[in-house]
Amino acid sequence: MERLGKNRSETLIEMALTADGEECNGPLCETISTAGSEVPSSSEIDKRHQSKDSVFFRDGVRRIDFVLSYVDDLNKEWEKKLERRKEFESNLQKAGLELETEDKKESEDGKIYFVKIHAPWEVLITYAEVLNIKVPIKENDIPSMVENPLDCMLAPLRLPEKVMHPEPDYFTAPFSKDKQELYLIDDENTFFSPSVRNRIVNYILTRCPYGTEEGKKKFGIKRLLNNGTYSAAYPLHDCQYWKKANDPNCDNERYTLYMEWASFLRFYKEQPLDLIRKYYGEKIGIYFAWLGFYTEMLFLAAVVGLICFLYGLFTMDENMSSKEICDPAIGGEIIMCPLCDRECEYWRLNTTCESSEYSHLFDNVATLFFAIFMGIWVTLFLEFWKRRQARLKYEWDLVDFEEEQQQLQLRPEYEAKCTQKKKNPVTQEMEPYLPITSQAVRFCISGTTVLFWVSLIIASMIAVIVYRLAVYAAFASLMENTQTLQPISGLLTPQLATSVTASCLNFVIIMILNFFYERIAIWITDMEIPRTHMEYENRLTMKMFLFQFVNYYSSCFYVAFFKGKFVGYPGAYTYMFNRWRNEECDPAGCLIELTTQLTIVMAGKQIWGNIQEAIVPWICNWWGRRKARNNPENLYSRWEQDHDLQTFGALGLFYEYLEMVIQFGFITLFVASFPLAPLLALMNNILEIRVDSWKLTTQYRRPVAAKAHSIGVWQEILNGMAILSVVTNAFIVAFTSDMIPRLVYYYAYSENEDSPMSGYINNSLSVFQISDFPDRNKPKVNREDFVICRYRDYRYPPDHERKYLHTMQFWHILAAKLAFIIIMEHVVFIVKFFVAWMIPDVPADVKAKIKREKYLTQKILHEYELEKLKERLCQGDKRATEKEFIATEGRVELSRAM
């Protein structure tokens, strides 16, 4: 199908190009010959009385399907650009499109030319067949779904029916020029929606040649935009977003979307997905459907996470560990070993009282429950999304959508850069290809570049770790000697101050690396010259996701799985680069630091993302339109208004998906440390939907409509993260939180039956004799002449024969941690796979509807063929034999029987 569609479109354009000087027949050539005659002369139109805020040519009849703009710069390239434009526009007219140029004198700044493009009926039906576009043949007679008894309760969340379902539901079939009377064509001007029309025109623009340079055939609007021949190419919005158009023929869909969807006051309303799909195309529609469904599912996770957080809040006073730490008779008498060499002093355990109490908010029994719950929730989310996606595929006529019609077609860049050709073994036709040696070299360069940038991220993370190690002593000394910080010294400990500042520094580095790598990833993907659009998107997606994964999550992985795990013990500490002593966890555990890190990076990313997405485009548009605001509205043309907006590029949706998938990682990979993460994500996504819709409707030019029947490779990435999240949360509960050590103490080492957890803090701290400190570690000052100090570990005391070696309790706890990881992973994976097996990917009613529609469509087509054959027999067509009639009639009967 790919080759057939491609060759057919090439043939249509090339046939049109050969029409110059040759006899030409058919509707395409008729369009060419009549294009000029239909355009009224400027003398026939009184521009002074005609509003330029219109989506039609000057005649008020022909719709503007696309606009090209350019500026005449009198530089060295001016003549070459002029020649390219003449050739390109001539070839567009030969391909059947009709053009109308607005002189720069008519533009607001007097510099920009606008070329308006209209696709007549003959061109539309020709390319509708090439692109396999489905059109209505009969109104859908399948009964709608049974009404939900909860619909009355959900009424406040609903939008008006006219907004939710702007078009009737039809049975559809791929368009064919030979069967036009079969389709429900009421009006040729409105039969193809504006989004379909701009998709067809864009298809022609990307393949239309404009000459030969350096011995190579040059074609496509993308190249002309890159070399500055044109400054912009875009379809028009149908009206201004804040008010309806004066033209009664305008659907005002942009206005409706703004009022019912992009308004922040409508945040609680459902999304008009059918209208989004009709206006922007299926690709954008499927993104908002996924984002909306993800947000709905987050509501359940947010409620459960909030309950777990409240459990920790209400049981804070009952936590025996923090009670003992805060007790002056227990925590106040425990002298802890210095947290850094030489500069740090001995300190009392009860100075961490507040932080230990806050740690209980996230490190409690509910943490374990929530980690298991989220492992199951992510499976439910992915499985129910598959069902929702299957329903959308049916409702949006994407069931038989063949991606090669759009995604698998050769990229114009691939065809232009690959000069060598070879015979396709399937089609037996010559096609461009990239030699293996060239591919190998390009992949080596690409792989090396990606590896270098990932290494750069790891190096930056190590630099942040060194920062943490280097400044801890400074914070400890500052807080010890500064009287103004004494009132908050209990809350703002040196550990917390170091963690917060390091997290902020890490976030800044993440944003800087992100800025540069985005451009590098696009460059190396372009350099690889992917063959198809799908290959291009998939390669770019994997590169960007790999980088973002390492960039955003590396610091969280460090705090969760490395910090405090390789510290050594007093007198035998381990050092990074033999200089900086490794960090220790707070006596209450490292989980609170992981929570801090996660909160800063996740919240910072969401705030910065919304600033980039909404405020920056708004400022740019405001600045660009500052002069036009002084002009009368009827002189500020629709094409100029849209020209002043920002461009929603080919990678616009890519960045939206990437942002949400990274967020998905935060709420799944590390959710055991922060039960409120789903709640933060929910609040962000409610805002995100409205921000995305607002900027798309008001701040960006209308994107070219594109088809898509799924979220693509992102589905596989989400599946992979779902599996990884089970492992990471099991390790967080086992190694980062204090859950397992407390349980081991509770069941195996507690000696107090009335209060099993009393004595846990003393049990979890080992004893070190200060006289055993080497000079490198010994503090400069020992004000109270302490003899021993305590540290967080399970080691024998200095008077034991196995001095400072691990106790048996250490090995019991380690065995319990490993056993917990194995049990939790197996339990969650078994439940996940069972749930996935229980929930079918396609709902039963959708399967039935698909079969019913296929049957009825096939029946209609067969009956149509039978009627046509009868007509031919009656007219005496010799080619229509009786056997052919019997065979066709039999096929209809067979279809009915099936």
Side-chain angles (χ1 to χ4, degrees):
M1 287 297 294
E2 168 199 345
R3 178 54 46 188
L4 177 63
K6 178 179 176 300
N7 288 343
R8 188 167 192 174
S9 63
E10 282 182 352
T11 304
L12 288 167
I13 294 174
E14 288 170 3
M15 282 173 58
L17 296 180
T18 59
D20 245 1
E22 297 181 11
E23 186 177 353
C24 182
N25 298 311
L28 193 63
C29 298
E30 289 173 11
T31 305
I32 299 166
S33 62
T34 59
S37 62
E38 291 182 7
V39 180
S41 64
S42 57
S43 60
E44 296 173 2
I45 300 169
D46 188 354
K47 294 181 185 177
R48 291 173 298 177
H49 296 89
Q50 181 194 25
S51 173
K52 295 176 73 175
D53 186 24
S54 169
V55 293
F56 294 94
F57 274 20
R58 297 189 193 109
D59 59 11
V61 176
R62 292 171 295 169
R63 173 180 284 274
I64 302 170
D65 297 314
F66 229 89
V67 174
L68 308 179
S69 67
Y70 62 90
V71 179
D72 259 347
D73 290 327
L74 298 177
N75 53 25
K76 296 179 181 178
E77 296 285 321
W78 179 75
E79 290 186 3
K80 188 179 288 186
K81 290 178 182 178
L82 180 62
E83 186 180 337
R84 289 175 187 151
R85 280 195 293 268
K86 283 184 178 179
E87 182 73 17
F88 187 69
E89 291 172 17
S90 173
N91 289 338
L92 289 178
Q93 288 179 318
K94 291 173 185 177
L97 298 177
E98 298 174 5
L99 311 181
E100 185 176 78
T101 302
E102 290 286 332
D103 192 85
K104 65 181 180 181
K105 296 175 183 177
E106 299 293 325
S107 66
E108 180 269 327
D109 60 1
K111 298 178 181 178
I112 305 174
Y113 289 89
F114 292 94
V115 181
K116 298 174 286 185
I117 302 175
H118 168 74
W121 175 253
E122 291 77 10
V123 172
L124 292 174
I125 61 176
T126 299
Y127 285 93
E129 188 170 7
V130 170
L131 295 174
N132 206 34
I133 291 173
K134 288 188 173 183
V135 294
I137 56 173
K138 181 183 178 183
E139 195 160 344
N140 193 337
D141 63 353
I142 300 175
S144 58
M145 294 178 61
V146 179
E147 288 191 8
N148 189 338
L150 298 177
D151 276 350
C152 57
M153 296 175 60
L154 300 175
L157 308 180
R158 304 292 188 200
L159 288 172
E161 183 67 19
K162 186 180 178 181
V163 176
M164 286 301 297
H165 304 290
E167 294 180 313
D169 192 13
Y170 294 104
F171 292 134
T172 59
F175 187 84
S176 172
K177 288 200 295 183
D178 300 331
K179 302 174 182 176
Q180 291 188 43
E181 60 268 30
L182 179 65
Y183 309 115
L184 303 179
I185 304 175
D186 295 327
D187 184 354
E188 292 181 356
N189 293 322
T190 58
F191 181 67
F192 292 107
S193 67
S195 61
V196 172
R197 296 174 70 100
N198 73 55
R199 182 180 158 215
I200 289 173
V201 174
N202 182 68
Y203 184 88
I204 299 172
L205 289 173
T206 55
R207 284 158 178 79
C208 185
Y210 60 85
T212 303
E213 296 177 8
E214 299 175 358
K216 295 181 181 178
K217 185 179 178 182
K218 301 290 184 180
F219 57 89
I221 187 63
K222 187 174 181 181
R223 278 180 164 274
L224 292 172
L225 291 171
N226 290 340
N227 60 33
T229 303
Y230 289 100
S231 58
Y234 52 94
L236 292 181
H237 284 293
D238 63 353
C239 66
Q240 294 171 331
Y241 66 84
W242 65 87
K243 68 173 187 177
K244 292 184 178 181
N246 296 324
D247 190 341
N249 296 321
C250 181
D251 292 331
N252 296 297
E253 290 173 348
R254 185 189 188 193
Y255 171 79
T256 304
L257 286 170
Y258 175 71
M259 298 301 296
E260 302 290 349
W261 178 49
S263 172
F264 289 94
L265 297 177
R266 298 275 181 168
F267 73 92
Y268 61 94
K269 294 280 189 179
E270 62 184 334
Q271 297 186 84
L273 294 177
D274 287 347
L275 185 57
I276 298 169
R277 172 243 181 171
K278 181 186 176 189
Y279 192 76
Y280 291 114
E282 287 79 3
K283 194 168 187 178
I284 289 178
I286 207 83
Y287 163 73
F288 280 103
W290 175 80
L291 180 57
F293 184 80
Y294 171 44
T295 305
E296 290 171 13
M297 290 294 291
L298 272 176
F299 182 78
L300 175 62
V303 169
V304 176
L306 182 61
I307 291 172
C308 292
F309 174 78
L310 293 176
Y311 170 82
L313 182 65
F314 292 141
T315 59
M316 188 186 294
D317 295 335
E318 301 172 12
N319 180 28
M320 184 58 69
S321 298
S322 58
K323 278 184 179 180
E324 291 186 346
I325 291 174
C326 296
D327 190 344
I330 302 175
E333 296 299 321
I334 295 177
I335 308 302
M336 301 297 293
C337 296
L339 293 171
C340 64
D341 294 337
R342 303 295 291 164
E343 299 297 329
C344 296
E345 298 183 6
Y346 301 101
W347 53 284
R348 297 183 184 275
L349 182 60
N350 65 346
T351 58
T352 62
C353 174
E354 284 86 353
S355 62
S356 68
E357 288 179 336
Y358 290 126
S359 177
H360 178 72
L361 289 172
F362 309 105
D363 192 359
N364 53 64
V365 178
T367 301
L368 173 59
F369 165 76
F370 193 59
I372 295 173
F373 166 80
M374 286 301 292
I376 299 169
W377 173 88
V378 74
T379 304
L380 291 173
F381 163 63
L382 293 174
E383 292 303 315
F384 281 124
W385 166 246
K386 289 179 186 175
R387 292 170 61 85
R388 177 74 175 120
Q389 191 170 255
R391 192 175 296 280
L392 286 175
K393 283 173 68 175
Y394 166 73
E395 292 174 356
W396 290 356
D397 295 320
L398 299 170
V399 173
D400 296 321
F401 171 61
E402 297 174 353
E403 260 184 311
E404 60 263 27
Q405 289 295 325
Q406 181 175 348
Q407 293 291 323
L408 296 182
Q409 290 164 347
L410 295 182
R411 295 172 64 235
E413 296 83 355
Y414 180 86
E415 295 179 289
K417 292 180 181 179
C418 298
T419 55
Q420 300 185 41
K421 296 195 174 185
K422 68 176 182 180
K423 184 178 287 188
N424 187 310
V426 178
T427 62
Q428 294 296 304
E429 293 177 4
M430 299 301 290
E431 64 177 20
Y433 85 104
L434 194 63
I436 296 295
T437 53
S438 179
Q439 288 185 42
V441 171
R442 292 171 188 274
F443 278 124
C444 286
I445 296 173
S446 173
T448 305
T449 306
V450 172
L451 192 61
F452 167 77
W453 278 87
V454 170
S455 302
L456 193 63
I457 297 171
I458 296 172
S460 68
M461 186 190 72
I462 293 173
V464 173
I465 294 171
V466 169
Y467 164 84
R468 299 170 74 115
L469 302 178
V471 303
Y472 178 81
F475 276 121
S477 176
L478 179 68
M479 293 180 180
E480 181 74 23
N481 301 320
T482 306
Q483 294 298 321
T484 55
L485 295 177
Q486 290 300 317
I488 59 169
S489 60
L491 180 62
L492 187 65
T493 62
Q495 292 100 318
L496 184 59
T498 303
S499 179
V500 170
T501 56
S503 298
C504 294
L505 177 63
N506 183 65
F507 175 72
V508 172
I509 292 173
I510 285 172
M511 292 294 105
I512 293 172
L513 290 175
N514 231 17
F515 175 80
F516 288 108
Y517 184 77
E518 283 181 3
R519 288 146 183 81
I520 295 294
I522 294 172
W523 176 76
I524 57 180
T525 307
D526 287 338
M527 188 233 357
E528 291 174 5
I529 317 180
R531 187 171 182 271
T532 65
H533 292 284
M534 180 174 283
E535 276 185 29
Y536 183 89
E537 288 186 8
N538 289 350
R539 288 186 191 180
L540 181 61
T541 298
M542 295 312 297
K543 288 183 185 68
M544 285 295 293
F545 177 73
L546 174 64
F547 177 84
Q548 299 266 25
F549 185 92
V550 178
N551 199 20
Y552 280 106
Y553 302 144
S554 57
S555 57
C556 294
F557 272 101
Y558 164 72
V559 175
F561 306 124
F562 295 98
K563 183 180 177 182
K565 308 298 185 294
F566 309 100
V567 177
Y569 63 94
Y573 290 117
T574 54
Y575 289 81
M576 176 179 283
F577 306 129
N578 202 33
R579 180 175 178 181
W580 292 286
R581 192 175 116 188
N582 285 351
E583 285 185 283
E584 296 181 43
C585 285
D586 189 275
C590 264
L591 200 69
I592 189 69
E593 289 193 46
L594 178 58
T595 304
T596 304
Q597 178 78 24
L598 186 67
T599 305
I600 290 174
V601 176
M602 180 180 175
K605 182 186 182 304
Q606 293 180 167
I607 293 169
W608 179 249
N610 285 326
I611 290 173
Q612 276 188 313
E613 289 182 13
I615 298 178
V616 173
W618 180 81
I619 292 173
C620 293
N621 289 335
W622 175 84
W623 182 256
R625 289 187 302 221
R626 65 193 186 283
K627 292 181 180 178
R629 287 194 292 271
N630 300 322
N631 292 341
E633 186 177 294
N634 66 331
L635 296 180
Y636 191 32
S637 64
R638 161 74 21 228
W639 44 92
E640 285 181 280
Q641 292 173 39
D642 286 11
H643 181 269
D644 290 341
L645 298 176
Q646 299 298 298
T647 303
F648 191 79
L651 297 177
L653 276 187
F654 168 82
Y655 291 116
E656 301 296 342
Y657 275 118
L658 184 62
E659 179 186 3
M660 288 295 103
V661 169
I662 293 297
Q663 183 206 81
F664 181 81
F666 281 124
I667 69 161
T668 53
L669 296 177
F670 307 103
V671 74
S673 67
F674 191 34
L676 291 180
L679 181 61
L680 287 182
L682 174 65
M683 292 189 294
N684 174 79
N685 286 10
I686 291 173
L687 181 65
E688 180 77 19
I689 290 174
R690 303 304 158 180
V691 167
D692 285 351
S693 58
W694 175 81
K695 72 178 185 184
L696 202 60
T697 308
T698 67
Q699 303 302 308
Y700 283 90
R701 296 171 187 161
R702 185 174 185 170
V704 177
K707 276 188 173 289
H709 70 301
S710 69
I711 61 174
V713 71
W714 298 109
Q715 182 80 37
E716 301 306 317
I717 290 175
L718 292 173
N719 289 333
M721 294 181 76
I723 293 172
L724 181 61
S725 68
V726 177
V727 179
T728 56
N729 283 302
F731 272 85
I732 287 172
V733 173
F735 285 97
T736 309
S737 79
D738 259 7
M739 178 80 60
I740 304 302
R742 285 200 294 261
L743 290 174
V744 170
Y745 178 81
Y746 183 93
Y747 288 107
Y749 291 91
S750 176
E751 298 176 354
N752 189 334
E753 294 183 359
D754 296 331
S755 180
M757 287 307 296
S758 61
Y760 167 73
I761 291 298
N762 187 61
N763 176 267
S764 65
L765 299 174
S766 298
V767 179
F768 181 77
Q769 189 167 317
I770 291 175
S771 60
D772 292 337
F773 262 129
D775 291 337
R776 179 180 184 178
N777 304 133
K778 187 179 294 185
K780 293 178 180 179
V781 180
N782 185 358
R783 302 178 193 278
E784 301 183 39
D785 296 325
F786 297 121
V787 177
I788 62 169
C789 64
R790 310 293 293 275
Y791 60 98
R792 184 182 169 85
D793 207 342
Y794 294 91
R795 294 178 183 272
Y796 288 109
D799 56 354
H800 195 277
E801 60 181 5
R802 303 188 66 189
K803 179 179 178 180
Y804 302 140
L805 295 179
H806 283 124
T807 64
M808 189 55 67
Q809 186 175 353
F810 170 84
W811 301 109
H812 287 166
I813 291 173
L814 181 61
K817 288 179 177 180
L818 296 176
F820 168 81
I821 290 171
I822 294 171
I823 293 170
M824 179 179 168
E825 284 182 359
H826 280 70
V827 168
V828 175
F829 279 134
I830 288 171
V831 174
K832 278 170 64 71
F833 291 128
F834 178 73
V835 168
W837 174 76
M838 284 286 293
I839 301 174
D841 291 349
V842 183
D845 65 310
V846 172
K847 282 184 180 178
K849 288 179 178 179
I850 291 171
K851 291 178 180 177
R852 168 73 176 163
E853 180 165 346
K854 281 185 176 179
Y855 160 71
L856 289 175
T857 303
Q858 195 176 36
K859 178 183 174 184
I860 291 168
L861 291 173
H862 287 172
E863 288 177 348
Y864 171 79
E865 290 177 7
L866 187 60
E867 288 298 321
K868 289 301 245 182
L869 194 56
K870 284 180 180 178
E871 290 178 11
R872 287 167 59 192
L873 283 171
C874 293
Q875 292 170 3
D877 189 342
K878 296 179 181 179
R879 292 174 296 176
T881 64
E882 188 176 347
K883 289 183 178 180
E884 185 182 354
F885 174 76
I886 294 171
T888 304
E889 195 172 36
R891 189 171 62 178
V892 173
E893 294 300 324
L894 181 61
S895 175
R896 287 173 180 167
M898 291 174 64

